[in-house]
């Protein structure tokens, strides 16, 4: 979500420095427990290890410093690594722990317990189960959304829908969940950041203690005085697969489950939009005296573009190239927070930085699916390949600009699309925030019914600048995604009807690469609306005048929507979560 939307919703006041009285009372109570040395585990969550088939990481926090924090699994006791940090605004010390559990069997379910010597529940410690990933091609399901927030409405952008969204994940019983950034909006509540993270973690524990939740960084994970890029809160809480790029661990990563390569990126590194930590004013943000940090003046923002110096993009190309060379990889799925293909009229829209840096790589290595958040709505694109030049306009002035508008390879919605021809983008900013938008723009710059005019009738699957792809791939249904196939090199075909989410099912061997996407016209007898992430009416927060560094584009709609919306029915039970099953 952009800062202008936040400010519009708060009347433009000193929103980012405010905390409400009930929240302060809760903070005092929790700090009293911490002062007593309470090592009781809370905020318990799982992530995948380097090999999801043989290992997981159990992570948690405690109100005070835990003595001998540990995980028990079977007859094994695994000591946890403490990873404390001190919040740069409040001065509160946060105690987090991580236990790497390896040597597990693929596709097996294990019970585990988390405790410490000063665990108040030591007689009956917290326990849960976790299932490891399959070692090869086998059925599995994952879910995804972004922009979750917390159920505690004392915090900016939090809402009760956040608890419901976590329950929705559990209704699918996925193997794991992808969380597409803007986890809890702690940086919009800067004087109480650890408390916001605590409410987020305890809400997610309902699901994340039983299945890995794999996050990516969003603009609202950036916090003042919390590390070089402001990621200290995030990095203290998550142990993620290594990217082996010195100095940038935990910021981006990849992992394999079965024949699917998942790639998680931090788009803060490449976007033009300046939407991270920001002091709105009119007063300065004053850190607690004990931190030693000076006040942050109104109008100050934390702008990160280019922080890796190109290291992330270089890593991405190496990772995608290796994935396409690997004959055991059938699909490549990318998650990131910000969008390259969004038509939101009141949100953030598409960012030129992603289009410049990463879309050529998605084309070259034939990425199948890109999952994003950021805009608080739901959209799905037609398959995209290549770009139109000079087709956009600057929002503030109307001047023609080169927005590198992604080119759909088809705009005929016959109910099925094949990603050997192009990458499908999904916007899933539908987690639990109190600011659903669901408002879409229309590009009237040209007379074509679709951006870029009519697509080529039979686009090539390979060619100059496109990495050759072996014959394998799924077919995808837009609400349920199922894939299955034979042994090595087997095709994947998507069919099936489903009430919620996406499902992939195989109907025998088909030697056709790429995903196919099928979109049902109706949902349980109800016509699908174009948007909707939760109950209530869309918010009225508007962007205002364009920031010179924010490349908002209106180039994805012209006449009938090229995005082929499949929006969630507002208020329908698991409609805030996208679900896919691979089999």
């Amino acid at each position: 979500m952009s800062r202008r939307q936040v400010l519009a919703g708060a009347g433009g006041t000193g929103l980012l420095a405010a905390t409400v009285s009930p929240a302060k009372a809760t903070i005092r109570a929790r700090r009293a427990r911490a002062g007593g040395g309470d090592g009781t585990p809370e905020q318990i969550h799982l992530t995948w290890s380097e090999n999801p088939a043989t290992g997981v990481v159990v992570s948690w926090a405690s109100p005070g410093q835990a003595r001998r924090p540990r995980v028990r699994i079977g007859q094994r006791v695994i000591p946890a690594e403490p990873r404390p940090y001190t919040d740069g605004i409040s001065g509160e010390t946060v105690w987090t722990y991580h236990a790497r559990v390896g040597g597990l069997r693929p596709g097996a379910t294990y019970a585990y317990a988390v405790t410490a010597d000063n665990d108040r529940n030591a007689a009956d410690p917290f326990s849960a189960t976790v299932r490891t990933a399959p070692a090869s091609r086998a059925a599995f399901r994952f879910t995804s959304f972004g922009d979750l927030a917390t159920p505690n409405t004392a915090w900016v952008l939090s809402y009760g829908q956040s608890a419901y969204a976590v329950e929705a994940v559990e209704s699918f019983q996925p193997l794991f969940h992808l969380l597409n950034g803007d986890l809890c909006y702690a940086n919009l509540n800067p004087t109480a950041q650890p408390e916001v993270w605590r409410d987020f973690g305890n809400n997610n524990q309902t699901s994340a203690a039983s299945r890995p939740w794999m996050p990516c960084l969003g603009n609202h994970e950036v916090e003042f005085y919390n590390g070089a890029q402001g990621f200290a809160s995030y990095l203290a809480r998550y142990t993620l697969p290594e990217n082996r790029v010195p100095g940038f661990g935990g910021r981006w990563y990849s992992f394999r489950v079965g024949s699917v390569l998942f790639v998680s990126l931090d788009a803060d590194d490449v976007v033009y939009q300046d939407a991270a930590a920001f002091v709105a004013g009119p007063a300065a943000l004053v850190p607690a005296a004990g931190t030693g940090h000076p006040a942050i003046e109104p109008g100050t923002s934390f702008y990160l573009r280019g922080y890796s110096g190109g290291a992330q993009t270089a890593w991405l190309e190496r990772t995608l190239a290796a994935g396409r060379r690997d004959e055991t990889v059938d699909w490549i799925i990318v998650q990131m927070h910000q969008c390259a293909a969004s038509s939101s009229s009141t949100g953030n829209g598409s960012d030129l930085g992603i289009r410049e840096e990463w879309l050529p790589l998605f084309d070259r290595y034939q990425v199948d699916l890109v999952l994003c958040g950021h805009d608080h709505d739901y959209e799905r694109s037609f398959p995209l390949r290549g770009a139109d030049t000079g087709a956009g306009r600057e929002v503030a002035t109307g001047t023609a600009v080169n927005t590198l508008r992604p080119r759909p390879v088809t705009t005929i919605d016959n109910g099925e699309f094949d990603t050997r021809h192009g990458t499908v983008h999904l916007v899933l900013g539908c987690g639990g925030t109190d600011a659903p938008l669901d408002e879409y723009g229309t590009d009237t710059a040209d007379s074509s019914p679709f951006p870029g005019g009519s697509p080529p009738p039979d686009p090539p699957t390979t060619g100059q600048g496109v990495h050759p792809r072996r014959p394998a791939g799924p077919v995808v249904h837009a609400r349920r995604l199922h894939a299955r196939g034979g042994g090595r090199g087997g095709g994947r075909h998507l069919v099936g009807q489903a009430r919620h989410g996406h499902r992939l099912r195989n109907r025998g061997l088909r030697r056709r690469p790429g995903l196919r996407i099928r979109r049902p016209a109706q949902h349980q007898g109800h016509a699908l609306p174009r948007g909707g992430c939760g109950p209530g009416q869309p918010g009225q927060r508007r962007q205002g005048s364009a920031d010179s560094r924010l490349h908002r584009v209106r180039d994805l709609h012209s006449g009938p929507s090229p995005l082929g919306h499949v929006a969630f029915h507002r208020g329908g039970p698991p409609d805030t979560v996208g679900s896919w099953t691979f089999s």
Side-chain angles (χ1 to χ4, degrees), residues 425-439:
H425 292 246
L426 282 172
V427 180
L428 294 164
C430 302
T433 173
D434 75 343
L437 298 174
D438 315 323
E439 298 177 13

Side-chain angles (χ1 to χ4, degrees), residues 88-91 286-294:
I89 301 296
S90 69
V286 182
T291 65
H293 294 142

Side-chain angles (χ1 to χ4, degrees), residues 324 330-333 362-363 365-370 380-385 409-410 416-425 459-461 466-467 469 472-477 481 492 504 512-518 582:
R324 277 290 165 244
D330 290 334
W331 308 290
I332 298 177
I333 295 175
F362 295 170
D363 286 350
Y365 298 105
Q366 294 185 285
V367 169
D368 294 293
L369 191 63
V370 175
R380 174 179 58 78
S381 75
F382 284 104
L384 304 175
R385 179 66 50 79
V409 298
T410 182
E416 191 170 281
F417 305 116
D418 191 336
T419 59
R420 69 178 167 176
H421 299 315
T423 301
V424 170
H425 292 246
T461 56
V466 177
H467 188 84
R469 182 169 180 181
V475 182
V476 181
H477 192 290
L481 217 134
R492 298 292 184 273
L504 255 136
R512 298 193 61 171
L515 258 73
R516 285 181 179 256
I517 298 220
R518 187 187 303 277
F582 286 81

Side-chain angles (χ1 to χ4, degrees), residues 39-75:
T40 304
E42 61 179 26
Q43 308 171 54
I44 299 160
H45 60 278
L46 304 170
T47 53
W48 291 126
S49 67
E50 305 303 313
N51 183 352
T54 61
V56 296
V57 180
V58 184
S59 301
W60 69 96
S62 61
Q65 184 174 8
R67 296 193 299 272
R68 285 207 314 132
R70 57 196 182 272
V71 166
R72 295 201 307 264
I73 184 164
Q75 300 301 310

Side-chain angles (χ1 to χ4, degrees), residues 193-529:
Q193 287 171 165
E195 304 306 315
V196 180
W197 279 101
R198 180 173 287 117
D199 287 343
F200 163 82
N202 285 331
N203 178 44
N204 293 359
Q205 180 176 298
T206 303
S207 174
S210 300
R211 60 201 80 256
W213 276 44
M214 304 300 290
C216 70
L217 285 156
N219 51 299
H220 287 298
E221 277 65 73
V222 181
E223 299 168 357
F224 286 115
Y225 295 135
N226 274 346
Q229 293 92 39
F231 299 149
S233 296
Y234 175 93
L235 296 173
R237 285 170 172 82
Y238 288 98
T239 293
L240 298 164
E242 287 289 338
N243 59 32
R244 295 176 176 79
V245 180
F248 296 110
R251 292 154 179 82
W252 57 84
Y253 60 92
S254 67
F255 62 93
R256 278 278 304 275
V257 173
S259 59
V260 185
L261 173 63
F262 292 89
V263 180
S264 183
L265 301 174
D266 176 22
D268 295 311
D269 186 27
V270 300
V271 296
Y272 284 103
Q273 186 184 24
D274 182 5
F278 175 68
V279 179
L285 175 60
V286 182
T291 65
H293 294 142
I296 305 170
E297 295 302 316
T300 304
S301 66
F302 200 153
Y303 191 53
L304 289 183
R305 175 172 163 80
Y307 77 77
S308 80
Q312 181 174 195
T313 299
W315 172 91
L316 174 61
E317 177 151 31
R318 293 194 301 270
T319 301
L320 295 179
R324 277 290 165 244
R325 287 194 302 267
D326 189 338
E327 292 188 352
T328 67
V329 172
D330 290 334
W331 308 290
I332 298 177
I333 295 175
V334 170
Q335 77 158 342
M336 59 185 174
H337 181 61
Q338 291 91 334
C339 310
S342 167
S343 67
S344 175
S345 63
T346 52
N348 303 280
S350 308
D351 197 279
L352 181 62
I354 300 173
R355 294 179 175 187
E356 290 174 337
E357 296 286 336
W358 293 347
L359 289 199
L361 298 181
F362 295 170
D363 286 350
R364 185 175 309 152
Y365 298 105
Q366 294 185 285
V367 169
D368 294 293
L369 191 63
V370 175
L371 307 175
C372 302
H374 204 39
D375 281 334
H376 298 171
D377 51 42
Y378 180 97
E379 290 188 287
R380 174 179 58 78
S381 75
F382 284 104
L384 304 175
R385 179 66 50 79
D388 298 320
T389 59
R393 58 183 176 83
E394 168 54 44
V395 171
T397 65
T399 305
V401 292
N402 184 12
T403 59
L404 298 176
R405 182 174 66 184
R407 183 184 302 124
V409 298
T410 182
T411 51
I412 300 173
D413 190 351
N414 62 5
E416 191 170 281
F417 305 116
D418 191 336
T419 59
R420 69 178 167 176
H421 299 315
T423 301
V424 170
H425 292 246
L426 282 172
V427 180
L428 294 164
C430 302
T433 173
D434 75 343
L437 298 174
D438 315 323
E439 298 177 13
Y440 304 94
T442 300
D443 181 7
T444 58
D446 57 44
S447 59
S448 170
F450 299 105
S454 300
D458 187 18
T461 56
T462 61
Q464 185 175 7
V466 177
H467 188 84
R469 182 169 180 181
R470 69 186 191 83
V475 182
V476 181
H477 192 290
R479 302 262 330 150
R480 278 217 191 218
L481 217 134
H482 293 268
R484 94 184 158 208
R488 181 169 178 158
R492 298 292 184 273
H493 183 66
L494 182 133
V495 295
Q497 299 294 326
R499 187 177 185 289
H500 297 293
H502 299 63
R503 187 164 190 157
L504 255 136
R505 179 176 300 170
N506 162 15
R507 279 205 172 163
L509 185 64
R510 289 186 60 165
R511 296 190 62 77
R512 298 193 61 171
L515 258 73
R516 285 181 179 256
I517 298 220
R518 187 187 303 277
R519 177 166 70 95
Q522 294 195 336
H523 174 59
Q524 289 289 304
H526 299 286
L528 292 174

